[in-house]
């Protein structure tokens, strides 16, 4: 088993020590993503990244009813202040209203860094904020080497770039799997109303269709079972659901399986879907294209089940089983 | 729909998605002497614009690419797919261009061309930034509908279904607006040979950052580029029993 720099950056380089001497000037704004009154897990990973910088961390919670979430985030280690922006204009995370709010907060309080998770929410909002502040955005960081120097994968994770920002404000989205979730502490930071900002509506939220599932969330699951084109149809995914339920795993898919309509898009793992790094990743009927590997190759243990012994997935799998999945998966489920 | 639409589609020339990229020996960049093609998300953006034009033939589609002279190949591909004209913003060194600079160039072009819609890919598969559309929307103070999997355009509104974590979300934005495409939006067409021939005659105008009065100085300096850690994969097991045994006793993950 290997720890590579992606999934365990805090173990491979001394990011916590190097720049404390100059860290007194660092002051971070953590953009809290939340749904149904709960903090999204990605925010807790982003908080750990912010902690690595040193300095004050102010959390900002915006929403129609942000009070519960503001109380929850206040309990986490390292939060020095909570800004609460209560306004119905913030109810649906529209970037046209959130970005001006974050810009106002930065201008009034002079944050050197703004952090959010690299999720659909963070990706949508933070680049807009960066443009309004006339600074670069730094996407999907997997390591912090200094107050202005960050590590991020490029080319679907086939190269790792270290970049240094010349801007005074750093706008950063954080790859959740690269930083552990922050922990709670005896913490009682002050709550303050966030600065007022323009809430003019350029867009209207119409509705959403979320996929309901009792299984663990893909982003944070310790075990993930994914199916690819080899599953042949959507009904056969039931075999994977059965195995997932037996070991408490989340279910994911390759792009081929999503495009063929076997499962919903939100289950796609890869360069353009979700990035996961569970303890156990079981790839079933997945060939292992570059774009899929980008989303899972930092998993601790990878298992591949495929009847094609030449499939590229076997080059990254810790354990490969060359067998027909329609025979191997039911047998595995039964014996687990 | 009554009025005619003007759509700008920015396209980027990138290393082809099927190429396994390698870090160069100096560890400053990847080896770029490999096959390039249009960024896959941008093909989807061009396709969506062309589909809108097929419903509303008075639509005009302007493809824009910022980069070295070779970006013109990418623009010709967009023209062959159905764009009407192209603008090439020539920059000597592609690696000096970053999303903020590109967003500013596109803003200058949008102010000249006054489009109703700008459709971009959600991310380029080389830098994987996923920023340019959002930055452009911020600079123009236009609404943004990112990661679109369905687009309906009416006279004054864009109704867009977005791919978000956990499912789909639908928003309605006033035009002019920015849309960025997800993979599921459509299946791009192949350019036919006659259309490739016709594309050679379509207008392609050139511009520069200086003419557009845009400062594209990079804000991020790449200090180094490295190969990712290699995995020691390749171990095969004989049977399901063997697999379960290894997971329980060797990897200790079950």
């Amino acid at each position: 088993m290997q720890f590579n720099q992606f999934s365990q950056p805090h173990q491979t380089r001394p990011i916590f020590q190097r720049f404390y001497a100059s860290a007194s000037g660092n002051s971070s704004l953590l953009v809290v993503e939340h749904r149904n009154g709960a903090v999204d897990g990605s925010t807790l990973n982003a908080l750990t990244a912010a902690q690595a910088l040193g300095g004050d961390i102010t959390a900002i919670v915006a929403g129609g009813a942000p009070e519960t979430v503001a109380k929850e985030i206040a309990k986490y280690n390292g939060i020095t202040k909570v800004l609460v922006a209560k306004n119905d204009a913030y109810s649906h995370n529209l970037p046209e209203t959130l970005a001006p709010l974050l810009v106002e907060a930065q201008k009034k309080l002079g944050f050197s860094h703004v952090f959010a998770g690299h999720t659909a929410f963070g990706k949508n909002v933070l680049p807009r904020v960066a443009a309004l502040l006339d600074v670069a955005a730094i996407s999907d960081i997997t390591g912090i080497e200094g107050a202005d120097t960050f590590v991020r994968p490029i080319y679907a994770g086939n190269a790792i770039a270290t970049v240094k920002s010349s801007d005074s404000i750093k706008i950063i989205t954080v790859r959740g799997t690269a930083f552990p979730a922050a922990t709670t502490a005896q913490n009682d930071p002050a709550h303050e109303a966030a600065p007022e900002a323009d809430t003019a509506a350029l867009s209207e939220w119409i509705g959403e269709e979320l996929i309901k599932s009792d299984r663990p969330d893909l982003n944070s699951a310790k075990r993930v079972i994914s199916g690819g084109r080899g599953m042949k149809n959507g009904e056969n995914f039931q075999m994977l659901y059965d195995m997932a339920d037996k070991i408490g795993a989340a279910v994911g898919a390759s792009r081929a399986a999503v495009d063929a309509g076997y499962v919903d898009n939100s289950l796609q793992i890869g360069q353009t879907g979700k990035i996961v790094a569970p303890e156990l990743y079981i790839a079933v009927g997945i060939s292992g294209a570059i774009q899929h590997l980008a989303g899972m190759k930092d998993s601790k243990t990878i298992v591949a089940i495929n009847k094609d012994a030449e499939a590229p997935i076997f080059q990254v799998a810790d354990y490969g089983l060359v067998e027909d999945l329609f025979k191997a998966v039911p047998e595995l489920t039964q014996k687990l | 729909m009554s009025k005619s639409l003007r759509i700008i589609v920015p396209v980027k020339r990138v290393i082809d998605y099927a190429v396994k990229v390698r870090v160069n020996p100096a560890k400053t960049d990847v080896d770029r002497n490999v096959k390039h093609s249009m960024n896959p998300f941008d093909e989807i953006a061009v396709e969506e614009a062309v589909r809108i034009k097929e419903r509303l033939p008075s639509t005009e589609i302007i493809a824009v690419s910022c980069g070295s002279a070779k970006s013109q190949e990418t623009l010709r591909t967009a023209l062959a797919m159905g764009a009407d004209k192209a603008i090439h913003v020539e920059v000597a060194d592609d690696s000096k261009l970053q999303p903020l600079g590109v967003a500013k160039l596109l803003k200058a072009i949008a102010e000249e061309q006054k489009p109703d819609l700008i459709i971009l890919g959600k991310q380029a598969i080389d830098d994987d930034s996923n920023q340019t559309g959002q930055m452009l929307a911020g600079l123009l103070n236009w609404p943004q509908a990112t990661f679109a999997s369905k687009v309906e355009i009416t006279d004054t509104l864009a109704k867009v279904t977005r791919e978000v974590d956990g499912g789909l979300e639908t928003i309605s934005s006033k035009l002019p607006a920015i849309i960025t495409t997800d993979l599921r939006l459509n299946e791009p067409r192949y350019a036919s040979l006659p259309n490739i021939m016709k594309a050679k005659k379509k207008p392609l105008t050139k511009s520069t950052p200086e003419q557009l009065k845009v400062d594209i100085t990079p804000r991020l300096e790449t200090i180094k580029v490295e190969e990712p850690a290699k995995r020691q994969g390749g171990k095969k097991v004989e049977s399901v029993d063997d697999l379960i045994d290894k997971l329980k006793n060797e990897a200790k993950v079950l």
Side-chain angles (χ1 to χ4, degrees), chain B residues 33 83 173:
Chain B
N33 293 320
S173 298

Coordinates of all heavy atoms in Angstrom, one line a residue, chain B residues 33 83 173:
Chain B
N33 N 4.8 18.1 -28.0 CA 4.9 17.7 -29.4 C 4.1 16.4 -29.6 O 4.6 15.4 -30.0 CB 6.4 17.4 -29.7 CG 7.2 18.7 -29.7 OD1 6.7 19.7 -30.2 ND2 8.4 18.7 -29.1
A83 N -20.1 26.9 -37.4 CA -19.9 28.3 -37.0 C -19.8 29.2 -38.2 O -19.4 28.7 -39.3 CB -18.7 28.5 -36.1
S173 N -32.1 32.2 -16.6 CA -31.3 33.4 -16.6 C -31.7 34.4 -17.7 O -32.1 33.9 -18.8 CB -29.8 33.0 -16.9 OG -29.3 32.2 -15.9

